[in-house]
Amino acid sequence: MINKIIKDLIRTYRTSNSFILCDYLHIIILKSNLGNEVKGFFQRTPCGYNIIHINSKIDENEMNYICAHELGHTILYTSTSIKLFIENKLQIKVNIN
């Protein structure tokens, strides 16, 4: 399912750059110091804004990976409020309703 969605996005917007795709999809990207464990997380606000938070302490390649990963969450998990990507690859899903 996700593979088809990603292929369709790439074909529609003519890019595989996750940051550019987020821009087209009106997903806000915030880079900030998230400490040493959290690499990034996805947040959907009560007003419907989708925000991807990326740790500014990680390198550019990892930022690209985290952005693509969190973009997948914005597409697949429409009911999740927050999903964290932590250093040991464990993910924590938090529903705030």
Side-chain angles (χ1 to χ4, degrees):
M1 177 177 153
I2 187 68
N3 288 338
K4 181 182 178 345
I5 293 169
I6 296 300
K7 286 179 185 177
D8 288 347
L9 284 173
I10 291 169
R11 186 173 34 255
T12 299
Y13 297 110
R14 297 187 176 149
T15 184
S16 61
N17 182 305
S18 55
F19 287 96
I20 294 172
L21 289 171
C22 286
D23 189 47
Y24 280 123
L25 298 170
H26 307 289
I27 298 168
I28 300 163
I29 305 286
L30 296 177
K31 295 178 186 175
S32 58
N33 184 339
L34 300 176
N36 295 323
E37 292 187 22
V38 176
K39 294 186 177 192
F41 65 94
F42 159 63
Q43 172 188 15
R44 180 169 287 122
T45 69
C47 297
Y49 291 104
N50 292 320
I51 304 170
I52 294 175
H53 299 263
I54 299 175
N55 194 333
S56 60
K57 294 172 73 173
I58 62 177
D59 66 48
E60 194 71 27
N61 286 332
E62 202 162 19
M63 282 186 189
N64 289 327
Y65 174 80
I66 296 298
C67 184
H69 177 90
E70 299 303 334
L71 175 58
H73 290 304
T74 67
I75 295 166
L76 292 177
Y77 302 109
T78 57
S79 64
T80 302
S81 299
I82 298 176
K83 197 149 176 97
L84 301 174
F85 193 100
I86 299 178
E87 177 67 32
N88 65 4
K89 306 295 190 256
L90 170 70
Q91 293 193 43
I92 300 171
K93 181 174 149 182
V94 180
N95 288 314
I96 301 172
N97 294 325

